């Protein structure tokens, strides 16, 4: 009961965030909400990544490619073919999923390090294609003028042009991704994922096809990443190849491992920390990144299983 | 035709012949032991007949069905259960989940159904829970049902792996050294469990080093040496067979 109340209050606070921010820091609303949009998008993207890394235990380094494929699909369909927001996002998700499935067939013949390196190669090739296929992507000139999304059509269209609107869109997307993540990683499906992660041979002896479950997590993760890519492109309105470099993988790994690999709550905490902390540290501009790095290091040393493990432990000692 | 049959199985590793044209049959309800010195190819044979390794030649049939070269998860779903020599559990899953995961693939369901958790799926899950609790009580691990399997002792993990293999009620059970590296009390427990299963009508093929276990359990013994079958027969006859004594102790 108290849990339900806490969830309700927390949810209401998140929905009311634009007004709360305006009340607390009137001049800063756009800036604060801008950071929170990034938090939401990074949290959703990191959850989709954690499906693969945390739940089936495949260290894929291809995630920026699916994010980028989704972002470019949406950006190009919107700017060149006049697609509206929902259809181009849907196309972005389908294409990212399809590419993941095609690339997954040979990749899942590889194991462990070989799989990581294979997927890294794919991610790098995708980045190079985005940079050099100038006729399609405009390469380093970037795709510009991507419209802010509109839901609905014609006269009933709701244009999501303001930052608070986009904040709600990001929040709703994160909510959907979190529900999907929860549904996939608990109960029977989650059990099969974790069996494959813990012991592949034993999983096969249990009648589970390891490759099938790995592929499922990989494709679903890519579909979500493609969708988040589309949301991102429509938000920043300019899309450059740099958005899909290996650096994004590093950021996702930081989020997932600082927060708590394989844990919904942990990954969201990781995303909040990753996006909000550097902004708070602007109070000490010179030392900002040094302090940030130091804090990450301290967290890894103190809670090697991620911040979420610290929460779990304190929760247990309170109930005990 | 035999219930489970291996014909002329060959497995080579970089020119070393690990399994050399081995024939082996197990009739329904039999308890057969596969013995042989270290490196004689017992585990390799297990891996080839359960799909974990491709064989270079030969045929494997189970219930008159050719299962040669089929993926391991498919062989498992046909009703062949197996345990591994090195104790194998899902260490981060709970003891209970270790059992449940062994049954779920035998209950048909779809990904969408699993996401939506349909009524049929919940019924399956209840049936699986009942069976898992019964098996845990049988191997005396009921108190540990909600502990991660990684926290169990070696012997307990061995019992858990054994119970898990029984979850889908397999017709044929392959046990790879069930009595290795456990204490004498646990060996007796294991022997009791294996005999009880066989009396229930389960067909069992076991690899074992412990001769007392083999002599007490097996109705028939097959001996491998350097990948080839060198003897086969009743336990007492095998114990006196000069070829077997040679293989084990040298001349």
């Amino acid at each position: 009961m108290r849990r339900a109340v806490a969830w309700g209050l927390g949810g209401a606070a998140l929905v009311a965030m634009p007004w709360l921010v305006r009340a607390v820091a009137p001049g800063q609303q756009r800036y604060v909400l801008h950071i929170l949009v990034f938090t939401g998008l990074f949290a959703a993207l990191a959850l989709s990544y954690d499906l693969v890394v945390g739940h089936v235990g495949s260290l894929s380094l291809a995630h920026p490619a699916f994010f980028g494929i989704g972002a470019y699909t949406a950006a190009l369909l919107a700017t060149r073919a006049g697609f509206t927001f929902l259809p181009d996002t849907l196309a972005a998700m389908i294409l990212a999923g399809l590419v993941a499935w095609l690339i997954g067939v040979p990749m899942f013949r590889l194991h462990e390090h070989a799989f990581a390196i294979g997927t890294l190669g794919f991610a790098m090739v995708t980045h190079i294609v985005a940079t050099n296929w100038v006729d399609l992507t405009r390469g380093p000139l970037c795709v510009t003028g991507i419209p802010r999304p509109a839901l609905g059509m014609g006269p009933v269209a709701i244009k999501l042009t303001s930052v608070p609107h986009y904040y709600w869109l990001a929040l709703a997307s994160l909510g959907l991704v979190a529900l999907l993540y929860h549904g996939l990683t608990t109960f029977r499906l989650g059990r099969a994922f974790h069996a494959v992660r813990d012991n592949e041979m034993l999983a096969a002896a249990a009648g589970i096809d390891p490759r099938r479950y790995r592929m499922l997590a990989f494709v679903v993760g890519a579909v979500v990443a493609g969708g988040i890519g589309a949301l991102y492109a429509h938000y920043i309105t300019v899309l450059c190849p740099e958005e899909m470099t290996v650096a994004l993988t590093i950021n996702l790994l930081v989020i997932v491992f600082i927060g708590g690999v394989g844990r919904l709550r942990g990954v969201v905490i990781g995303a909040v920390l990753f996006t909000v902390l550097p902004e708070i540290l602007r109070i000490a501009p010179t030392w900002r990144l040094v302090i940030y790095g130091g804090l990450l290091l301290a967290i890894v040393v103190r809670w090697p299983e991620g911040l979420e493990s610290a929460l779990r432990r304190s929760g247990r000692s309170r109930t005990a | 035709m035999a219930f489970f049959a291996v014909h002329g199985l060959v497995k080579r590793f970089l020119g070393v012949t690990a399994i050399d044209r081995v024939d082996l049959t197990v009739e329904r309800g039999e308890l057969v032991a596969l013995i042989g010195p270290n490196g004689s190819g017992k585990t390799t044979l297990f891996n080839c007949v359960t799909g974990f390794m491709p064989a270079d030649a030969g045929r494997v049939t189970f219930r008159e069905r050719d299962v040669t070269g089929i993926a391991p998860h498919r062989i498992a779903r046909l009703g062949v259960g197996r345990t591994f020599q090195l104790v194998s559990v899902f260490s981060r899953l709970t003891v209970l989940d270790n059992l449940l995961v062994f049954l779920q693939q035998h209950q048909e369901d779809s990904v969408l159904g699993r996401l939506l958790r349909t009524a049929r799926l919940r019924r399956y899950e209840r049936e699986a829970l009942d069976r898992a609790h019964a098996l845990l009580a049988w191997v005396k691990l009921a108190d540990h049902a909600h502990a991660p399997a990684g926290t169990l002792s070696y012997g307990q993990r061995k019992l858990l792996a054994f119970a898990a293999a029984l979850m889908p009620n397999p017709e044929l059970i392959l046990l790879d050294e069930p009595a290795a590296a456990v204490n004498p009390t646990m060996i007796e427990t294991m022997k009791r469990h294996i005999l009880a299963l066989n009396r229930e009508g389960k067909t069992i093929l076991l690899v074992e080093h412990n001769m007392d276990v083999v002599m007490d359990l097996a109705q028939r013994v097959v001996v491998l040496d350097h990948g080839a079958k060198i003897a086969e027969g009743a336990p007492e006859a095998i114990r006196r067979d000069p070829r077997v004594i040679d293989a084990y102790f040298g001349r």
Side-chain angles (χ1 to χ4, degrees):
Chain A
M1 188 60 211
R2 271 173 62 189
R3 252 176 91 93
V5 171
W7 274 99
L9 281 177
L14 282 177
V15 172
M17 190 63 84
W19 296 296
L20 292 177
V21 172
R22 196 164 54 185
V24 176
Q28 301 287 314
Q29 195 203 24
R30 269 182 69 91
Y31 163 67
V32 173
L33 288 181
H34 173 73
I35 302 304
L36 292 180
V37 166
F38 267 75
T39 308
L41 294 182
F42 262 110
L45 188 62
L47 283 175
S48 72
Y49 186 50
D50 190 44
L51 281 177
V52 185
V53 174
H55 291 279
V56 293
S58 296
L59 185 59
S60 163
L61 302 177
H63 225 62
F66 303 130
F67 173 82
I69 288 168
Y72 269 102
T73 306
L76 293 174
L77 285 177
T79 54
R80 302 256 183 105
F83 273 53
T84 53
F85 172 64
L86 283 180
D88 74 35
T89 303
L90 199 66
M93 293 167 80
I94 292 169
L95 191 67
L98 203 66
V99 172
W101 183 68
L102 286 174
I103 214 72
V105 171
M107 288 296 165
F108 282 112
R109 297 185 150 270
L110 305 173
H111 289 274
E112 315 214 338
H113 323 83
F115 174 81
I117 291 171
T119 50
L120 176 65
F122 168 68
M124 292 169 92
V125 166
T126 325
H127 175 232
I128 291 167
V129 169
T131 312
N132 292 293
W133 193 355
V134 177
D135 292 340
L136 181 73
T137 65
R138 291 168 47 89
L141 297 175
C142 306
V143 182
T144 53
I146 306 163
R148 279 288 170 88
L151 293 173
M153 300 248 288
V156 288
I158 314 161
K159 284 218 170 76
L160 302 177
T161 44
S162 74
V163 180
H165 282 146
Y166 218 88
Y167 167 79
W168 285 314
L169 181 63
L171 185 65
S173 312
L174 174 59
L176 276 177
V177 173
L179 275 178
L180 179 73
Y181 178 96
H182 182 75
L184 282 169
T185 58
T186 53
F187 201 52
R188 294 163 74 93
L189 206 50
R191 210 157 55 206
F193 279 157
H194 300 157
V196 169
R197 175 193 65 192
D198 277 12
N199 191 331
E200 186 166 330
M201 279 201 27
L202 188 62
I208 293 168
D209 180 356
R211 214 178 285 175
R212 186 164 164 243
Y213 283 88
R214 290 226 156 99
M215 185 68 114
L216 178 66
F218 191 64
V219 171
V220 172
V223 167
V224 173
I228 300 299
L231 287 178
Y232 181 80
H234 278 291
Y235 178 63
I236 56 166
T237 71
V238 176
L239 183 63
C240 304
E242 282 66 47
E243 304 290 357
M244 53 198 292
T245 57
V246 179
L248 180 58
T249 311
I250 307 292
N251 293 341
L252 291 176
L253 282 170
V254 167
I255 291 175
V256 168
F257 281 89
I258 288 284
V261 63
R263 300 273 172 179
L264 173 57
R265 201 165 58 159
V267 174
V268 174
I269 292 170
V272 170
L273 205 71
F274 176 78
T275 51
V276 175
L277 192 60
E279 299 303 321
I280 293 175
L281 291 176
R282 280 183 200 281
I283 47 177
T286 323
W287 292 94
R288 186 168 82 104
L289 291 178
V290 177
I291 299 172
Y292 178 63
L295 280 173
L296 292 187
L297 198 63
I299 290 169
V300 170
V301 171
R302 177 68 186 79
W303 296 287
E305 288 168 59
L307 282 172
E308 202 268 350
S309 68
L311 281 181
R312 240 183 310 151
R313 232 163 275 151
S314 76
R316 218 176 294 148
S317 60
R318 235 185 300 133
T319 50
Chain B
M1 203 179 189
F3 182 66
F4 176 71
V6 177
H7 305 284
L9 196 85
V10 176
K11 176 72 192 173
R12 294 186 203 91
F13 293 112
L14 302 171
V16 176
T17 307
I19 304 282
D20 191 5
R21 285 162 297 165
V22 168
D23 295 312
L24 174 73
T25 58
V26 183
E27 298 300 333
R28 186 186 280 273
E30 245 190 327
L31 203 170
V32 177
L34 185 63
I35 66 169
N38 281 330
S40 59
K42 306 179 298 288
T43 297
T44 306
L45 182 76
F46 260 31
N47 285 337
C48 288
V49 300
T50 49
F52 283 90
M53 276 179 191
D56 292 308
R59 230 155 53 84
V60 182
T61 61
F62 173 60
R63 301 175 72 193
E64 295 178 16
R65 195 181 156 153
D66 192 335
V67 296
T68 322
I70 292 182
H73 63 272
R74 294 198 186 282
I75 294 184
R77 286 188 215 172
L78 289 174
V80 180
R82 74 163 288 184
T83 63
F84 293 87
Q85 185 178 359
L86 296 172
V87 165
S88 229
V89 295
F90 301 114
S91 52
R92 282 191 277 177
L93 295 189
T94 65
V95 167
L96 193 60
D97 277 346
N98 262 272
L99 295 186
L100 295 176
V101 82
F102 264 79
L103 188 53
Q104 68 186 57
Q105 299 300 318
H106 298 259
Q107 303 167 321
E108 42 137 358
D109 57 61
S110 62
V111 168
L112 191 66
R114 272 177 260 187
L115 266 177
L116 300 176
R117 295 170 197 186
T118 55
R120 194 182 56 183
L121 219 55
R122 283 201 299 273
R123 180 168 48 82
Y124 279 156
E125 193 68 10
R126 271 197 306 279
E127 289 167 7
L129 264 174
D130 288 346
R131 183 162 172 77
H133 281 301
L135 278 168
L136 282 181
W138 188 54
V139 295
K140 301 204 163 49
L141 286 174
D143 293 345
H144 302 279
H146 298 288
T151 62
L152 297 181
S153 74
Y154 186 83
Q156 287 173 324
R157 272 181 283 162
K158 207 139 193 174
L159 283 173
L160 175 60
F162 177 65
L166 300 179
M167 263 309 271
N169 206 11
E171 305 250 354
L172 170 68
I173 306 163
L174 308 180
L175 300 172
D176 200 348
E177 301 206 19
V182 294
N183 65 53
T185 323
M186 191 65 87
I187 291 180
E188 289 308 312
T189 311
M190 260 311 182
K191 270 162 66 177
R192 261 205 325 278
H193 286 328
I194 294 168
L195 271 179
L197 273 181
N198 185 236
R199 284 204 197 97
E200 270 174 36
K202 294 267 177 260
T203 312
I204 299 172
L205 176 63
L206 92 144
V207 161
E208 189 50 70
H209 264 307
N210 185 321
M211 277 303 170
D212 292 335
V213 174
V214 172
M215 294 302 147
D216 289 352
L217 293 182
Q219 293 148 12
R220 192 153 57 85
V221 179
V222 174
V223 189
L224 287 186
D225 186 30
H226 291 107
K229 187 162 87 175
I230 57 165
E232 178 169 6
E236 301 77 39
I238 289 295
R239 208 210 293 260
R240 289 190 300 268
D241 192 313
R243 285 168 303 177
V244 178
I245 296 170
D246 245 25
Y248 266 89
F249 302 110
R251 219 177 269 275

